[in-house]
Amino acid sequence: MTNNIVEIDNLSFGYKGRLLHKGINMVFPRGKVVAIMGGSGSGKTTLLRLIGGQIKPSKGEVRVHGDVVHKQDRDGIFKLRRKMGMLFQQGALFTDLSVYENVAFPMRELTDLPNSMIHDLVLMKLNAVGLRGAYTLMPAELSGGMARRVALARAIALDPAIMMYDEPFAGLDPISMGVICSLIRSLNDALGATSIIVSHDVKETFLIADYVYFVANGVVTAEGTPDDLMKSTLPFVHQFVHGDKDGPVPFHYPAGNYQSELMKHG
Amino acid sequence: MTNSNPLINIIKTLQGIGHRMVERIWRLGAGARLFFLTIVYSGESFKRFHLTMREIYSTGVMSLLIIIVSAFFVGMVLALQGYNTLQKYGSSEAIGVLVSLSLVRELGPVVTALLFAGRAGTAITAEIGLMKTTEQLSAMEMMAVNPIARVVAPRFWAGVISMPILAALFSMVGILGGYIVAVPLIGVDEGAFWSQMQANVDFQSDIVNGIIKSLVFGIACTMIALFEGFDAPPTAEGVSRATTRTVVISSLTVLGLDFVLTSFMLVI
Amino acid sequence: MDRTKIDLWVGIFVALGMAALLGLAMKVGNLTSGKIGETYAVTAAFENVGSLKPHAPVKSAGVAVGRVDSIAFNSKTYEAVVTIKIDKRYNFPKDTFANIYTAGLLGEQYIGLEAGGDEDVLSNGDKIAKTQDAVVLEKMISQFLFSKASEMDNDAKISAKPSESESKPAEAKSTELGDAPF
């Protein structure tokens, strides 16, 4: 048994012949925080959905604990998912349930724990994200950062072995961003889990990631530790890390000749 | 860019018709598939009945007010209009029969279903559409919880249970409304009002058939609302369009089904 | 929303529904009058039952005493065999007369029982011998027209005065309808 909890092996995925991923290889070792970075629309979130088995790859495979995800039947996938926790981009809290019930949801649905134990566990998880005092609130009453933290508490409710974060920093103020950032690292170390972060926020991601994959045009263009990548001279990585306007990723969407298009209707 | 060749225009029109036809049939199939899956994954909503109870509260109990108020007015109007016509033929005692038969056979189930589609159906569509838009359904799936078992099935059974109850209430309250107009206000003999009603309303062929109708409408309306919500594109516009579609499709389906069911019931 | 509060409201909701259904069954429908306790069944053969239906009332002197249970066709005698269920409380003589009447001009059809003078009473499984068929409107109208036409023929033969023949049909109508031989 290798030390890699999740392995992506020569993975291709696409809709109707148009490939989003063209032969991607990644490994996610136990206990590490690994980030997948890339521009918007580069298929980062789709990778998480492939790991979670919500969609099937066109070619290649994703292995979780050595099991090929897309070859599992429904029960098998559900069994794998019980070892995963996922933080969605907008938190995806259940709006008709209170904060307490949201965190209790996975325990009620997937375990037969008695109510008293669920109560203790929920308060423990909420305490870990610093929101024990807010357990009576409804999701609508929470700020964006608080909602993200409640969602985090819900994601770790069953102590998953794999944590997946989909854009955990998007749309947060700097303070909430810092809080989430340190929570991801500390929870990962406390749970002994493997974390996969999908993000395009370079600063925060580099702060907590052990290893980073860059995805562009459907392939892994660069990988390495944050320090390596900061020093990288690869044009794409340099542009992404330092946020240059133009570079290998052009400012303009591919278009015809500007002048001739202007003249066409003139 | 207009093409002057009429043949190409005809072909394009045909393609358009074909495309829409295929899409309609596809949606019908997808709806049937969801219905099937809902039945298959219904165990949860009975094993943990409080899930269904919650939904009965939000679909049934929350629709009580609109149902009772509308029923009361419908009954009163029926009595007024009925009296107006019946007294010309000197048979104003038959007003009880007119009110009760029209309510129990047709208006009770049909109007209840139409109001249900507007009140509870839209709420279901909007709620599920928003759950989809905000990734709540996706989150549930990633937690190894089946959204059909946890979200769709309890709402389905709540609708199926609520509809006949609401329809029975509608008929009863409507008859009371008709009674209030006919007996104290117009002065129709009370004994004649009830006895004529009892002599002409048959439990089997009128009341039970009305309940069967409302049960069928309950299945149809709830399933349409659920499917539209589940199928809504995950955008604000998509959810609002799905909500509108729920009302339109439910209403048309109820009226169409009513004709089919009535013709079956009258034959048997 | 508190679970106990939901339970309470749903309880109220279901209770209201049950009450409405009970009200419909008892107060509006004929479930009470349809269940007239114990009954005994007798049959009667008619040449024509018109639009008589199962569950139609069986009345005697205007009081409902039973219900039509079933209507079948006897392929040997080409008659309709109507099974009626009569309340055990009421006894009728063996020579009771069963008629099919219409409530109002176009109303529902029902069976009217007219008691005879026999000492023995009808019991379960008996057959009512004396029956009278349903009035079929078309038959009645054609018979009336026929009789009127023949009367006009007679009038024409007896007298050629137009004023007399005009007043005749009105008289004929009332008498003919009164004791029409069907």
Side-chain angles (χ1 to χ4, degrees):
Chain A
M1 177 111 186
T2 63
N3 203 29
N4 295 331
I5 302 294
V6 181
E7 293 166 310
I8 297 179
D9 193 6
N10 191 28
L11 178 100
S12 295
F13 174 78
Y15 303 100
K16 293 176 186 168
R18 194 184 140 266
L19 281 181
L20 193 60
H21 306 301
K22 303 162 192 157
I24 284 184
N25 293 294
M26 292 178 183
V27 290
F28 303 89
R30 187 188 302 271
K32 301 286 187 212
V33 176
V34 179
I36 302 172
M37 305 200 72
S40 308
S42 57
K44 305 182 301 275
T45 307
T46 315
L47 275 176
L48 290 187
R49 288 161 65 85
L50 283 160
I51 295 171
Q54 286 188 312
I55 43 181
K56 279 185 166 54
S58 322
K59 224 167 73 190
E61 58 189 34
V62 178
R63 286 189 297 273
V64 174
H65 287 290
D67 296 325
V68 178
V69 173
H70 72 269
K71 287 192 180 145
Q72 305 289 320
D73 56 3
R74 201 180 167 84
D75 288 342
I77 283 182
F78 270 29
K79 213 178 258 172
L80 283 180
R81 284 184 191 162
R82 283 170 193 231
K83 299 177 197 157
M84 304 178 189
M86 181 153 172
L87 180 69
F88 280 81
Q89 201 164 344
Q90 300 304 329
L93 291 177
F94 302 128
T95 36
D96 56 336
L97 301 177
S98 67
V99 166
Y100 178 94
E101 285 299 324
N102 260 288
V103 181
F105 185 88
M107 307 177 195
R108 289 202 202 285
E109 295 296 323
L110 302 175
T111 69
D112 294 320
L113 295 175
N115 267 332
S116 58
M117 196 181 276
I118 288 179
H119 179 84
D120 294 349
L121 279 172
V122 169
L123 291 189
M124 229 167 78
K125 300 296 174 190
L126 279 172
N127 202 41
V129 297
L131 289 175
R132 187 164 47 86
Y135 75 95
T136 51
L137 298 181
M138 293 302 282
E141 301 167 298
L142 301 174
S143 71
M146 283 161 86
R148 203 74 59 90
R149 275 147 77 188
V150 173
L152 189 52
R154 187 182 66 182
I156 59 168
L158 293 176
D159 298 330
I162 304 159
M163 277 298 300
M164 294 190 273
Y165 300 91
D166 186 8
E167 302 283 1
F169 312 116
L172 291 184
D173 62 272
I175 300 173
S176 307
M177 227 188 243
V179 170
I180 295 282
C181 198
S182 61
L183 271 176
I184 292 176
R185 186 73 235 186
S186 61
L187 284 174
N188 188 70
D189 297 344
L191 292 170
T194 303
S195 294
I196 305 170
I197 301 177
V198 156
S199 179
H200 48 236
D201 291 287
V202 178
K203 203 178 111 227
E204 285 73 21
T205 311
F206 275 26
L207 212 58
I208 55 171
D210 296 310
Y211 203 80
V212 178
Y213 288 98
F214 268 100
V215 181
N217 304 321
V219 291
V220 176
T221 49
E223 57 183 289
T225 61
D227 288 344
D228 292 344
L229 290 169
M230 283 303 276
K231 291 178 225 139
S232 169
T233 50
L234 276 169
F236 171 78
V237 177
H238 191 271
Q239 186 195 1
F240 199 96
V241 171
H242 298 281
D244 301 337
K245 180 178 150 237
D246 230 337
V249 180
F251 169 68
H252 286 295
Y253 188 81
N257 187 293
Y258 192 24
Q259 194 180 2
S260 65
E261 275 189 32
L262 282 176
M263 299 300 282
K264 196 153 55 181
H265 296 291
Chain B
M1 287 289 281
T2 48
N3 205 311
S4 54
N5 191 341
L7 196 66
I8 288 178
N9 282 334
I10 290 171
I11 288 173
K12 275 195 175 153
T13 313
L14 285 176
Q15 271 177 343
I17 294 171
H19 179 75
R20 260 183 289 173
M21 198 69 204
V22 167
E23 196 185 294
R24 297 264 154 85
I25 292 173
W26 183 89
R27 289 177 66 83
L28 199 66
R33 184 171 168 274
L34 183 68
F35 179 58
F36 177 72
L37 287 176
T38 306
I39 301 292
V40 169
Y41 293 117
S42 282
E44 195 88 343
S45 39
F46 289 103
K47 250 186 281 167
R48 295 164 65 197
F49 198 66
H50 69 268
L51 293 177
T52 311
M53 290 276 264
R54 252 181 85 103
E55 302 309 329
I56 293 179
Y57 180 83
S58 56
T59 51
V61 177
M62 298 302 263
S63 306
L64 264 183
L65 190 69
I66 188 175
I67 292 291
I68 287 176
V69 173
S70 332
F72 203 69
F73 281 108
V74 166
M76 294 204 295
V77 168
L78 268 180
L80 271 181
Q81 292 282 12
Y83 177 76
N84 206 16
T85 307
L86 285 175
Q87 57 119 10
K88 286 180 192 157
Y89 302 97
S91 48
S92 53
E93 289 79 21
I95 193 164
V97 183
L98 178 104
V99 170
S100 58
L101 276 187
S102 27
L103 276 168
V104 169
R105 280 189 187 166
E106 290 297 334
L107 291 176
V110 171
V111 178
T112 305
L114 295 179
L115 291 172
F116 184 89
R119 170 66 184 77
T122 51
I124 291 173
T125 305
E127 192 186 12
I128 293 188
L130 274 176
M131 286 180 93
K132 193 180 175 195
T133 310
T134 54
E135 294 185 307
Q136 292 180 44
L137 297 181
S138 239
M140 221 173 256
E141 260 188 34
M142 278 306 293
M143 278 183 228
V145 175
N146 185 348
I148 293 180
R150 183 60 175 69
V151 174
V152 174
R155 281 168 176 76
F156 173 72
W157 288 110
V160 173
I161 292 169
S162 296
M163 186 75 94
I165 294 179
L166 289 173
L169 268 174
F170 190 99
S171 299
M172 198 62 226
V173 173
I175 289 168
L176 288 181
Y179 168 83
I180 284 171
V181 166
V183 178
L185 292 185
I186 294 177
V188 174
D189 180 60
E190 176 163 6
F193 182 86
W194 291 114
S195 66
Q196 286 248 7
M197 199 186 281
Q198 289 190 0
N200 286 284
V201 178
D202 188 63
F203 183 73
Q204 193 74 31
S205 67
D206 297 323
I207 296 175
V208 171
N209 278 353
I211 290 168
I212 291 173
K213 269 188 189 177
S214 65
L215 207 62
V216 175
F217 295 162
I219 295 171
C221 282
T222 321
M223 210 56 232
I224 288 168
L226 287 167
F227 175 71
E228 287 298 342
F230 217 68
D231 192 55
T235 59
E237 197 210 356
V239 174
S240 82
R241 286 172 70 125
T243 312
T244 312
R245 259 209 310 271
T246 295
V247 178
V248 174
I249 297 179
S250 299
S251 307
L252 293 179
T253 308
V254 164
L255 296 172
L257 273 179
D258 184 48
F259 175 74
V260 175
L261 287 174
T262 307
S263 55
F264 267 112
M265 283 166 181
L266 288 182
V267 167
I268 290 168
Chain C
M1 179 56 73
D2 199 8
R3 197 185 282 183
T4 50
K5 204 173 158 193
I6 290 175
D7 287 355
L8 176 67
W9 271 106
V10 172
I12 292 172
F13 177 62
V14 173
L16 274 176
M18 290 293 159
L21 193 60
L22 207 70
L24 286 178
M26 296 302 168
K27 191 84 183 164
V28 178
N30 55 2
L31 197 65
T32 39
S33 51
K35 275 199 178 131
I36 36 177
E38 293 201 23
T39 57
Y40 62 97
V42 295
T43 58
F46 294 92
E47 264 177 40
N48 192 334
V49 291
S51 62
L52 189 75
K53 288 188 184 70
H55 295 295
V58 176
K59 294 180 180 178
S60 186
V63 179
V65 295
R67 271 187 188 277
V68 172
D69 189 49
S70 65
I71 299 171
F73 181 67
N74 184 337
S75 56
K76 283 185 187 136
T77 58
Y78 302 107
E79 282 178 330
V81 180
V82 178
T83 310
I84 59 179
K85 286 194 166 169
I86 304 173
D87 196 321
K88 270 253 163 74
R89 289 175 296 172
Y90 307 119
N91 287 319
F92 287 92
K94 286 256 187 217
D95 59 348
T96 294
F97 212 93
N99 305 294
I100 295 179
Y101 290 125
T102 308
L105 189 60
L106 299 165
E108 200 188 2
Q109 288 189 309
Y110 66 96
I111 290 184
L113 297 179
E114 276 163 38
D118 204 319
E119 304 258 307
D120 292 335
V121 292
L122 287 168
S123 59
N124 201 22
D126 280 355
K127 189 178 178 197
I128 294 175
K130 295 188 195 168
T131 61
Q132 193 176 66
D133 295 337
V135 172
V136 178
L137 207 60
E138 294 94 312
K139 240 186 201 172
M140 196 162 83
I141 291 169
S142 65
Q143 220 148 359
F144 165 61
L145 288 176
F146 182 74
S147 63
K148 192 178 135 187
S150 60
E151 209 166 298
M152 275 174 65
D153 272 359
N154 288 341
D155 285 351
K157 277 173 198 161
I158 294 164
S159 126
K161 280 180 193 166
S163 59
E164 245 182 64
S165 65
E166 251 174 56
S167 63
K168 268 272 157 90
E171 264 177 59
K173 190 175 167 187
S174 60
T175 51
E176 284 297 317
L177 262 180
D179 49 22
F182 45 79

